[in-house]
Amino acid sequence: MIRVLLADDEELVRTGLRMILDAEPDITVVGDAVDGADAVAQAEELAPDVVLMDIRMPRLDGLEATRRIGAMKACPKVVILTTFDLDEHVYSALAAGASGFLLKDAPASQLVHAIRVATAGDALLAPSVTRRLIARFANSQPPPRPHLPVDLTARETEVLSLMAEGLSNAEIAERLVVGDATVKTMSHESWPSSASATECKRSCSPTGPGWSADLNRWVFSVRDPRVREYTSEVRRSYASSSSCGRVFK
């Protein structure tokens, strides 16, 4: 039996939800809360499987109540049920740990399904929310990988990419399963440079705020035009992305 706690400041809404859920053979309503603070207290006391949570409530809103319930030892699942189809509510609810986000105009069958899905450990979002999340994801893809000069070998490209990520000679050798001497040979003879991979890592951190500027200086210390062409494209791609790893992923 799935035990559900209702949290909504409108008595009429709570009564209607109770009628819908109590009609299901595998669901029972174990309590109803009139605001977020009441929901947190009852969730702690009753340990329900699912809390059906409104967002805009007095004393404590549903988002903060969701965060507090998520920190409990029993950790009931929370399904948000709200009138307001706002992106900031969706993202805040998901960040707080909600297992579902539905609108109050959803059919009863969808509400019941969302509770069962949350109990199983999965999540369900309103169709309108899902469409917006997909659209946002599709528009936030990382920039294309930089074009590689055709006269760089595959191994040269691998070593250069790892150098640009800030790996030392030893780390590159371990990643590519080759000897340190091989990496040193490629970094000094194939494209002579005033900075080895180890020196590059020592002078700049891929996650630090000054990494892009340090990479700029390293790029222009390389005398081989093939490498300067490639690393310049890496630098431009890096400037438009949030992290070095996205360039080479």
Side-chain angles (χ1 to χ4, degrees):
M1 185 71 70
I2 301 173
R3 304 171 74 252
V4 177
L5 170 64
L6 307 177
D8 197 294
D9 59 330
E10 296 184 29
E11 182 179 0
L12 185 60
V13 172
R14 297 196 308 274
T15 301
L17 292 174
R18 181 182 285 273
M19 291 177 60
I20 292 172
L21 298 180
D22 279 344
E24 298 297 319
D26 59 337
I27 298 176
T28 183
V29 176
V30 296
D32 53 86
V34 299
D35 55 47
D38 191 19
V40 173
Q42 291 200 45
E44 185 74 53
E45 178 185 354
L46 301 172
D49 299 304
V50 177
V51 180
L52 201 56
M53 183 83 73
D54 188 19
I55 289 183
R56 296 189 178 180
M57 293 184 290
R59 290 211 296 165
L60 188 70
D61 66 58
L63 297 176
E64 180 58 30
T66 298
R67 277 187 284 271
R68 296 186 187 185
I69 290 173
M72 293 179 181
K73 185 176 180 180
C75 195
K77 306 296 184 181
V78 176
V79 174
I80 299 294
L81 184 65
T82 182
T83 305
F84 306 98
D85 186 11
L86 302 175
D87 283 349
E88 59 264 31
H89 285 170
V90 176
Y91 301 132
S92 296
L94 296 179
S99 297
F101 192 100
L102 295 179
L103 302 178
K104 287 184 177 177
D105 61 359
S109 58
Q110 189 177 67
L111 174 63
V112 171
H113 180 57
I115 290 173
R116 291 176 178 143
V117 166
T119 304
D122 294 320
L124 183 70
L125 303 178
S128 60
V129 172
T130 303
R131 284 194 298 271
R132 292 203 304 275
L133 288 177
I134 291 174
R136 175 162 294 199
F137 174 79
N139 292 329
S140 63
Q141 293 300 300
R145 296 176 57 156
H147 170 70
L148 301 180
V150 294
D151 54 348
L152 280 179
T153 67
R155 181 61 80 183
E156 287 174 340
T157 300
E158 284 183 289
V159 172
L160 179 59
S161 296
L162 294 174
M163 287 176 67
E165 288 183 32
L167 272 66
S168 67
N169 290 337
E171 290 169 330
I172 294 174
E174 182 180 359
R175 180 81 63 88
L176 300 180
V177 195
V178 297
D180 287 1
T182 301
V183 176
K184 291 178 182 178
T185 298
M186 298 187 74
S187 63
H188 288 283
E189 293 183 3
S190 297
W191 44 74
S193 165
S194 64
S196 67
T198 301
E199 291 166 344
C200 181
K201 183 179 182 180
R202 191 160 51 238
S203 64
C204 61
S205 167
T207 57
W211 187 81
S212 183
D214 287 332
L215 181 58
N216 287 345
R217 290 192 292 273
W218 179 74
V219 167
F220 288 104
S221 74
V222 178
R223 294 191 292 273
D224 192 302
R226 300 174 303 162
V227 181
R228 290 186 62 167
E229 176 187 346
Y230 176 54
T231 50
S232 292
E233 292 199 40
V234 170
R235 175 168 46 84
R236 287 192 294 270
S237 294
Y238 176 81
S240 64
S241 64
S242 61
S243 67
C244 173
R246 292 180 62 185
V247 176
F248 298 104
K249 205 168 225 180

